[in-house]
């Protein structure tokens, strides 16, 4: 399994060279199909279309644009070689897939030879980054037009560090790089759009570690699991380390990050951040850490940590 994403009344799974959707985990609909007609396909037409090849598929990244459609629009980018972003949308609220309409296609970024690894949606735009040919570049789609990078409102920005992850946070787009963190502001105003550094001394080890929990962004930095929080000053942020209690474990992960597949999820009803890591040939994870937000006797909220063993989680998702 190379990626999981909760969508509509089911889950999307990337595996081997294909992408599937399931409502029950038993019956799976292959969705990496050739370009669908503009008005979408019914179930029979969609299942009859040829496969859109994803022969070098790697770890997948997902984002959902909550537009006017019934379930939103999903974009999948991929850490494999030479794979364009994939667009999928499903409409129709009947319980049976046969009552729904399907849309699927690959997206073109730049001249068509740019294959971004990371994606997120931010303030009416799809934002992608991490292409091996342009590792420092982020590109954003047209305004309310997430399947085009050439329409009004689209553009690109080049940073001076390699991008490893993206996350929309409050009014800004947070850009996590290898050795620094940046924020992009005013994406919808061409005269005031700006990129400014949050820090040039701390980076992110793996974009898969980025999650939002308790109103903060959490990510794996070289010196621990850190939070990026908005302060009382408008537009200001602060960084804090929350993993000192398990620092030897985090140091071990950081020292061996190049050999690990990282996956994370947030279990919201338990206020938990879970990070799984492993290094075998299939990319499965056999160890992990769980941080649970708790309120102490003084009324302060902090993480309490535990470890997991034996949970294979090369990919994870939670609703």
């Amino acid at each position: 399994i190379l990626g999981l994403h909760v969508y509509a009344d089911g889950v999307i799974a990337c595996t081997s060279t294909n992408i599937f959707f399931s409502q029950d985990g038993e019956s799976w609909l292959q969705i990496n199909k050739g370009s669908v007609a503009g008005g979408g396909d019914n179930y029979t037409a969609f299942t009859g279309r040829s496969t859109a090849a994803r022969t070098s598929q790697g770890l997948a990244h997902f984002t959902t644009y909550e537009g006017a459609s019934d379930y939103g629009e999903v974009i999948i980018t991929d850490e494999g070689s030479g794979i364009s972003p994939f667009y999928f949308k499903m409409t129709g609220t009947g319980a049976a897939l046969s009552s729904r309409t399907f849309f699927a296609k690959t997206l073109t970024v730049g001249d068509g030879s740019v294959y971004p690894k990371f994606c997120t949606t931010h303030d009416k735009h799809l934002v992608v980054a991490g292409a091996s040919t342009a590792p420092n570049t982020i590109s954003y789609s047209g305004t309310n037009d997430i399947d085009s990078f050439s329409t009004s409102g689209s553009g690109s920005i080049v940073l001076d560090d390699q991008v490893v992850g993206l996350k929309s946070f409050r009014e800004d787009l947070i850009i996590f790089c290898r050795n620094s963190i940046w924020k992009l502001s005013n994406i919808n105003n061409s005269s005031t759009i700006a990129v400014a550094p949050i820090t040039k001394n701390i980076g992110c080890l793996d974009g898969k570690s980025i999650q939002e929990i308790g109103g903060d962004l959490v990510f794996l930095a070289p010196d621990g699991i850190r939070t990026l929080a908005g302060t009382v000053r408008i537009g200001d942020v602060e960084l804090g380390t929350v993993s000192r209690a398990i620092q030897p474990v985090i140091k071990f992960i950081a020292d061996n990050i190049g050999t690990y597949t990282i996956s994370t999820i947030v279990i919201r009803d338990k206020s938990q951040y879970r990070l799984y890591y492993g290094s075998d040939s299939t990319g499965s994870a056999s160890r992990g850490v769980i941080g649970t937000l708790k309120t102490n006797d003084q009324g302060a909220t902090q993480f309490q940590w535990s470890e997991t063993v034996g949970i294979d989680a090369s990919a994870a998702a939670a609703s």
Side-chain angles (χ1 to χ4, degrees):
I1 303 298
L2 300 169
L4 294 171
H5 184 68
V6 175
Y7 176 69
D9 53 355
V11 63
I12 294 173
C14 296
T15 179
S16 184
T17 61
N18 294 307
I19 308 173
F20 298 91
F21 172 79
S22 178
Q23 296 169 298
D24 56 14
E26 297 180 2
S27 176
W28 293 87
L29 171 69
Q30 185 176 350
I31 65 174
N32 56 306
K33 298 291 187 176
S35 187
V36 171
D41 277 350
N42 61 27
Y43 182 81
T44 300
F46 186 69
T47 55
R49 285 192 176 270
S50 60
T51 298
R54 299 178 67 83
T55 53
S56 300
Q57 193 165 244
L59 293 177
H61 295 256
F62 303 82
T63 188
T64 300
Y65 181 69
E66 302 291 353
S69 62
D70 297 318
Y71 307 111
E73 302 159 274
V74 173
I75 302 296
I76 306 172
T77 52
D78 195 277
E79 295 188 26
S81 174
I83 299 181
S84 296
F86 184 75
Y87 171 101
F88 177 72
K89 180 175 74 170
M90 182 169 59
T91 61
T93 56
L97 291 181
S98 58
S99 67
R100 300 183 183 178
T101 302
F102 303 88
F103 303 78
K105 60 183 176 181
T106 57
L107 303 184
T108 299
V109 181
D111 62 1
S113 63
V114 178
Y115 307 109
K117 299 176 182 179
F118 316 115
C119 61
T120 193
T121 52
H122 175 68
D123 200 3
K124 307 173 186 176
H125 298 263
L126 169 66
V127 186
V128 297
S132 60
T133 54
N136 297 20
T137 301
I138 66 166
S139 300
Y140 48 95
S141 73
T143 308
N144 280 323
D145 195 4
I146 66 164
D147 58 352
S148 175
F149 287 84
S150 60
T151 52
S152 176
S154 62
S156 62
I157 295 173
V158 180
L159 304 174
D160 59 6
D161 196 1
Q162 180 179 343
V163 180
V164 300
L166 302 165
K167 195 73 172 181
S168 182
F169 183 61
R170 302 185 183 180
E171 301 300 320
D172 299 318
L173 172 72
I174 308 301
I175 307 165
F176 292 86
C177 296
R178 188 67 63 195
N179 301 296
S180 57
I181 302 173
W182 305 70
K183 66 176 181 178
L184 184 151
S185 305
N186 303 326
I187 193 172
N188 287 312
N189 190 326
S190 59
S191 62
T192 60
I193 187 172
V195 174
I198 292 173
T199 176
K200 290 190 174 183
N201 299 316
I202 299 170
C204 178
L205 290 179
D206 193 298
K208 286 281 190 179
S209 69
I210 305 166
Q211 294 284 355
E212 183 171 354
I213 180 172
D216 293 342
L217 291 186
V218 179
F219 65 98
L220 179 62
D223 60 347
I225 295 176
R226 284 184 170 268
T227 62
L228 185 149
T231 69
V232 293
R233 297 184 294 276
I234 296 176
D236 198 6
V237 295
E238 60 183 359
L239 293 167
T241 303
V242 297
S243 59
R244 296 191 186 279
I246 54 166
Q247 199 59 29
V249 176
I250 297 302
K251 184 179 187 303
F252 180 80
I253 297 172
D255 289 347
N256 297 279
I257 194 66
T259 66
Y260 289 145
T261 296
I262 300 293
S263 64
T264 59
I265 53 172
V266 169
I267 309 297
R268 303 202 180 279
D269 60 353
K270 295 184 177 182
S271 297
Q272 287 184 351
Y273 170 81
R274 300 187 180 188
L275 184 150
Y276 299 107
Y277 61 99
S279 57
D280 66 25
S281 60
T282 63
S284 65
S286 57
R287 300 188 68 87
V289 294
I290 298 177
T292 304
L293 281 174
K294 295 286 188 178
T295 302
N296 62 23
D297 294 339
Q298 289 73 42
T301 301
Q302 60 187 28
F303 279 98
Q304 296 181 358
W305 295 96
S306 58
E307 290 188 79
T308 67
V309 177
I311 298 177
D312 293 333
S314 58
S319 59

